[in-house]
Amino acid sequence: MAQVNRLTYGSSMDNQYAQMVDLGLGEYITQVPSTRYPVYTRGNAGEVWPEVAYPLTITLTRKAGEIASAQAAINAGVITPKDIKDGPTCFGGVFAGYMYLNLSFGRMIAIRTPGTTIEKSDATYYGSEHEAPEYIPNKQDKSVIASLRILRYGWKMLHTSDLPVLAQDRNLVSQWQSRLPEILDSPDEVLVEAMREIMEPANLLFTHHLDITGQAGGAVQLLSTICEERLGDRSIALTLLGGLGDVDSAEPSFALWKLGRMAANSNELTSIFNAGLSDLDVRLRQSDIAQEFIEHFENFLNVFGSRGPNEWETACETWGTNPASVLTLIDRMRLTDEQNSPSVRSQELSKKREEATRNARKELKGLGSWLFEKALHSSILFSQARERSKTTIVDLIHVARLITRELAIRTAEQRNNAELIDLWFILENELDEFIDNPAAFDEKIRERKRVRGELSNRIPPFIFEGQIPDPDTWPLRSEIKINHNAHAHPGQILKGYGGCPGVAEGTAKVITDPSDPKDLGPGDILIAPLTDPSWTPLFVPAEAVVVNVGGQMSHAVIVSRELGMPCVVAVKDATEIIQDGTRVRVNGSTGEITILENPES
């Protein structure tokens, strides 16, 4: 295995590390884009890191992320160290506070991968095909040696029967979880040491996750190609991967459904919920009738407490640190019809998957049959493993979150008018000085908070090439006015990518914040800008989901396939074009959304 941490990138490397740079609005964390790989996208990155990143998180984790990205790519044989001599941002990076992935680098891998095209790669991983600039051929992108290595890697993927690394990684996280009480009871210096120390296992786990993700994408692309070329319908692959079970990203929905049924089937609990969400947690805990519910609720928080919006960012709240957000989701669940049960939907999709598998096996013979079986097995194995490896990382991040929050609480107590979040505006190399004299950083923290607020109020470009536009040119979120003339009209068909087969009709509910699901319920179609795990429970009460961006390996696709609901991703500006209250038809096989009737009609 190559020693990536010994790589020599090039003379530009130092400039590409995350630094505080004046962005016109003030100084904030950013990097210098790669010149060799100049196109960047928020596709997929926006799911993992939807908000402006915090300086502490980026400067603490950037080395582990860069090494993991390089190691996974080298393991797959797609690159050699010379391909990344331009610097760490060849994989992606944080620009003006927002996380991006490098689309140019992904396209180079597509060029080197036999049987793959740039279009398929864009759709699978990024959902960037509608906005990405046209690919400009580069002779350095091609490599016969890399292509041969990828074939060898793919052969190994097709013959993988199990992944013991998943259990090894889980054991590593369990060790950190068992250490947590002792760490939290230690002096400040030990907390800082632990924050740095945990980056080593994070690097290892992220390498494994990227390795598995690459193989999952390769397997799904191969299966889709077989369905397209041998069976005449690429969308058959979506059915073949539906209702698999044991998919970690979907598990919270099943658990929340049970809690929702408990509330719906109890007159006493219904009365408590009907009294409103304010102080709901307190009222439930004070009620003798609700004790069984609270016991199950606490078990949910224990198992899924690391999940939530922006869960890769240690500065952000999760379901475990903010249980009230979970009760909001349960409130939606309890009002949902029994027919929306994720178990029932998943079982129906499982039956369709089994039928589609039988039909495919009847059609395919000889080498085609052998390759189909291998691709199907690998797609299932690595798709499930991808979600499992992601959960393992998120659980480790939660350990880091709790350690960092303890230090944040302590240092905030030493400063007047301090906030818990203040610690995350400190750079990693400032930590030691900060814990010695937190008040000395008051002015820096105030200024960095101001700049982050400015960036948060603006919409970053989904795609950029070369240099990211100056943030002061980005549109302000508050000034985005609804153009009623831009609304889709009855009969119009919007096109995206099918994520989960099936057809559903309903009323569009445009939701932009998972913590505010409004009155989303039965008969509604969820229209969202993008989705991360905090959105998963909102899938359950809806009939289908439509997402502005996202590739075919995105969170929305994987979860909808498991919950058995039609899904279409990469529908550009769906949350703006589709008016709230519009009657729509969603076809998860063709990726089409048909506008049936506008609310004013």
Side-chain angles (χ1 to χ4, degrees), residues 127 129-131 493-498 527-529 545-550 567-578 591-593:
E129 57 288 333
H130 293 312
E131 298 188 36
I493 297 176
L494 307 179
K495 185 68 177 177
Y497 278 95
I527 315 292
V545 60
V546 176
V547 185
N548 288 7
V549 298
C567 171
V568 179
V569 296
V571 184
K572 185 180 178 184
D573 299 327
T575 51
E576 297 177 26
I577 295 174
I578 301 175
E592 294 178 336
I593 296 94

Side-chain angles (χ1 to χ4, degrees), residues 267-288:
N267 291 333
E268 292 83 1
L269 287 174
T270 296
S271 178
I272 295 174
F273 271 88
N274 285 345
L277 294 175
S278 178
D279 298 325
L280 177 57
D281 188 22
V282 175
R283 287 183 280 113
L284 285 167
R285 294 180 187 279
Q286 290 176 344
S287 170
D288 293 336

